[in-house]
């Protein structure tokens, strides 16, 4: 079974890319889909109804959705195998641009919207730097000059990243992504899968529910406006 993890900011067009992928590959692949979100998710119901594929969603609640994705990924792979899938598509919530949900033995796809601003790629470096393919959506809404600037900003973060430009609603320009998915090697050992990068630190007292503002009220790895970038306080 092949694993594809689709990440990107909210409303970048991730589900549209997933929908076009399923539509193009469902005739020759058994596809399963997992959506990871925070409070509510509807994409799994929509895609299951539209394509008749096994689909599930996981809502992280108080947990970071990308961290929740890491925790449930092994179960998700086992579920997809039980469904006899040979392709598992995982769509992240994409709320934190610092988190990078890509794993070893899986194809990492980042989705960006061309109308999100030319500096957007520079603001989401880890999500771009560790991906295999960048899919730029809504290219029909920007000029050729804007597309070229956006492409160069992506190259600044990751010069080796393959870039696919598409109008994902219509599915134009998706052929390279589809070929990359089918050419990617399948999972060989689920127990050996790890994250490609290191997630951000989550060891301050804000993470465990302490609500006071100001670093003076917190312990662990904290940050203040002036001075040291990171300051450890307490045990």
């Amino acid at each position: 079974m092949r694993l594809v993890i689709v990440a990107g900011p909210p409303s970048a067009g991730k589900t549209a890319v997933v929908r076009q992928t399923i539509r193009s590959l469902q005739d020759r692949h058994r596809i399963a889909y997992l959506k990871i979100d925070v409070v509510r998710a509807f994409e799994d119901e929509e895609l299951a109804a539209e394509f008749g594929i096994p689909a599930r969603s996981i809502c992280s609640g108080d947990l970071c959705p990308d961290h929740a994705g890491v925790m449930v990924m092994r179960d998700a792979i086992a579920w997809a195998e039980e469904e006899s899938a040979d392709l598992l598509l995982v769509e992240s919530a994409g709320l934190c641009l610092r988190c990078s949900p890509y794993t070893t033995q899986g194809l990492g796809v980042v989705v960006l919207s061309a109308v999100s601003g030319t500096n957007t790629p520079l603001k989401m470096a880890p999500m771009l730097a560790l991906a295999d393919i960048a899919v730029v959506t809504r290219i029909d809404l920007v000029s050729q000059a804007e597309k070229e600037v956006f492409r160069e900003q992506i190259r600044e973060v990751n010069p080796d990243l393959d870039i696919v430009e598409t109008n994902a609603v219509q599915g134009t320009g998706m052929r390279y992504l589809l070929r990359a998915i089918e050419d990617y090697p399948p999972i060989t050992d689920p127990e050996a899968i790890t994250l490609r990068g290191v997630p951000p630190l989550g060891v301050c007292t804000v993470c465990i529910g302490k609500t006071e503002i100001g670093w003076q009220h917190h312990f662990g790895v904290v940050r203040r406006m002036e001075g040291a970038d990171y300051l450890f306080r307490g045990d």
Side-chain angles (χ1 to χ4, degrees), residues 75-115:
D75 291 343
I77 292 171
W79 161 73
E81 290 174 337
E82 291 172 359
E83 296 287 347
S84 299
D86 62 14
L87 175 60
L88 171 59
L89 301 176
V90 179
E91 180 184 341
S92 76
L95 298 184
C96 173
L97 300 183
R98 170 60 182 83
C99 283
S100 176
Y102 316 117
T103 68
T104 58
Q105 303 186 53
L107 182 70
V109 179
V110 60
V111 179
L112 308 90
S113 170
V115 300

Side-chain angles (χ1 to χ4, degrees), residues 163-217:
I163 300 175
V164 175
E165 296 175 336
T166 179
N167 176 347
V169 174
Q170 298 178 355
T172 57
M174 291 280 290
R175 286 179 296 176
Y176 179 82
L177 174 62
L178 300 175
R179 186 166 63 248
I181 290 173
E182 293 194 287
D183 290 345
Y184 201 81
I187 296 171
T188 56
D189 182 3
E191 297 297 335
I193 294 177
T194 61
L195 283 174
R196 293 187 183 182
V198 178
L201 297 173
V203 289
C204 69
T205 43
V206 176
C207 300
I208 59 172
K210 196 167 168 47
T211 58
E212 291 88 350
I213 65 169
W215 62 269
Q216 299 90 341
H217 298 288

